[in-house]
Amino acid sequence: MPVRLKPLARQTILITGASSGIGLATARLAASRGAAVMLVARNEESLREAVQGIRDAGGRAEYHVADVADLAALEAAADAAERAFGAIDSWVNDAGTSIYGTQEQVPLEDQRRLFETNYWGVVHGSLIAARRMKSRGGAIVNLGSILSDRTMIYQGTYSATKFAVKAFTDALRMELGAERAPISVTLIKPSAIDTTFQEHARIHLDTPGVKVPPPVYDPRLVARAIVYACEHPRRDIVVGGGGAAIAVLGNIFPRGTDLVMQMIGRATQVTSERGRPEMRDNLYEGRPGGEERSSLSGMPQRRTSL
C-alpha cells in the first residue's frame, strides 16, 4: 500500500523524551501547527509544565509519565494518547541520554542501562507504533545521530546505541516495506545540538562538566526535521553540516579521523562548568527538564542547516 501521511493539523503525535531538549521543541512546534501531542517522559513536574505551556499557547496536549525502557509503561502511554485524541498518526522516539568516559571507565551496568533507554526505548516504541499503524498508516520517526555513522571518542557507548538504532530502523523499514504496510520509517541524524544532553549525561571523565563539540546547532532545527518527517515519507534526514562532514571524513579517511579525534576529542568535550546541579545525570531516573537549550555558556548556535 502507498504511504500517505495526514497533514500535521489532523495528526495525533506521541513524542518520547518530550520534557526537554529536542523532544520539547518538537512538541511545541507540532502543537503550534495544529497537531494534538502526547508528551512522554519520566519527570512528571516537567511534563506538566510543558503541557500547560502548550495549552496556554492554544495547542492541544496531554502527558503520560513512562520510562521507555518499560514496555508495559510505554504501551500504557499509547493507550492514553488514543483515549485523549484518537488513533496515533506519528510516533517520535526521541528519549535518550549519554555517558562520557573511556570504555574501560564506564561500568558495564551503566552501559547496559544506556542501551535500555537509547536502544530498547526505540525498539519498544517502534514496535508498539507499527502494530497500531499497520491497518491505517502513519509515521515512525526515530532519533539516531551523526554518531550512528561515526563513533565519537569518550562517547563510545552512546555511539554504540546510535549505531544500533540505525540498524534496527533500517531493518524495520525494509520489513514493513516487504509487508506493504502503509508506514513511513525515518531516521533523524542530528549533529551537535544545544540541548540539556550534556547536563543530563553521566560523567566518568575527571572533569566537572562536559559539552558537545562545535559547531553547535539550535534544537528547533531538529524539531523542524522531525515535524517534516511526520508529514513526508523520508528515509534519513541529517541536521547539521558539521557533524555530517565528520561522518563523511570518517568513511573516507577512517584512520586520519581517528588521529584527529585522539588529539582534540577531550578538549572539545570537557568544560569547567557543571550546569544546573539538579539536572545532573538522568541515566537511572528522570531529572527536571522544561528547557529546550543547555544552560551552559559559550554555546553559540547555528540556526540554519542545509
Side-chain angles (χ1 to χ4, degrees), residues 36-267:
V37 291
M38 172 61 76
L39 284 68
V40 179
R42 292 175 295 178
N43 187 278
E44 184 168 12
E45 180 180 354
S46 297
L47 284 171
R48 186 184 302 114
E49 291 176 359
V51 165
Q52 189 58 54
I54 291 171
R55 290 173 176 171
D56 289 345
R60 295 177 294 157
E62 296 286 348
Y63 74 83
H64 189 89
V65 178
D67 185 337
V68 295
D70 184 338
L71 177 61
L74 203 51
E75 194 86 63
D79 291 339
E82 292 182 343
R83 286 195 301 271
F85 301 121
I88 299 168
D89 301 293
S90 292
W91 185 298
V92 179
N93 287 304
D94 171 71
T97 189
S98 187
I99 299 172
Y100 283 72
T102 69
Q103 292 304 95
E104 291 182 301
Q105 286 175 319
V106 180
L108 292 179
E109 57 267 31
D110 285 0
Q111 296 194 39
R112 291 192 178 99
R113 174 60 203 184
L114 193 66
F115 265 87
E116 287 291 334
T117 299
N118 290 12
Y119 174 70
W120 285 106
V122 170
V123 172
H124 292 162
S126 297
L127 295 180
I128 293 169
R131 187 178 67 252
R132 294 174 185 238
M133 292 176 179
K134 276 188 179 180
S135 62
R136 51 183 172 72
I140 297 171
V141 184
N142 292 340
L143 267 290
S145 170
I146 285 299
L147 303 189
S148 297
D149 298 322
R150 170 70 209 187
T151 301
M152 172 60 75
I153 188 171
Y154 307 127
Q155 289 192 64
T157 305
Y158 176 81
S159 299
T161 66
K162 293 303 183 178
F163 268 75
V165 165
K166 179 182 185 300
F168 169 79
T169 303
D170 289 347
L172 179 65
R173 183 188 301 110
M174 290 186 287
E175 290 159 5
L176 291 174
E179 295 179 36
R180 298 184 63 78
I183 301 174
S184 170
V185 180
T186 301
L187 183 68
I188 307 290
K189 295 193 288 187
S191 298
I193 308 297
D194 180 23
T195 69
T196 54
F197 172 90
Q198 54 267 32
E199 290 163 278
H200 282 155
R202 172 160 288 202
I203 303 172
H204 289 285
L205 298 171
D206 56 341
T207 179
V210 291
K211 60 184 180 181
V212 291
V216 181
Y217 295 85
D218 189 322
R220 295 185 184 184
L221 290 174
V222 189
R224 284 168 51 192
I226 292 169
V227 167
Y228 184 84
C230 290
E231 287 188 291
H232 305 89
R234 290 292 185 272
R235 177 185 178 87
D236 300 304
I237 301 178
V238 175
V239 181
I246 292 296
V248 170
L249 287 173
N251 287 328
I252 300 173
F253 305 110
R255 182 55 182 154
T257 306
D258 287 348
L259 293 173
V260 171
M261 285 193 175
Q262 288 167 208
M263 289 188 291
I264 69 171
R266 182 179 176 88

Side-chain angles (χ1 to χ4, degrees), residues 97 199-203 279-285 287:
T97 189
E199 290 163 278
H200 282 155
R202 172 160 288 202
I203 303 172
M279 296 179 69
R280 175 62 65 206
D281 188 355
N282 69 351
L283 185 62
Y284 289 93
E285 60 180 310
R287 297 293 186 192

Side-chain angles (χ1 to χ4, degrees), residues 10-21:
R10 292 171 47 202
Q11 286 201 26
T12 293
I13 304 176
L14 185 147
I15 305 167
T16 69
S19 61
S20 64

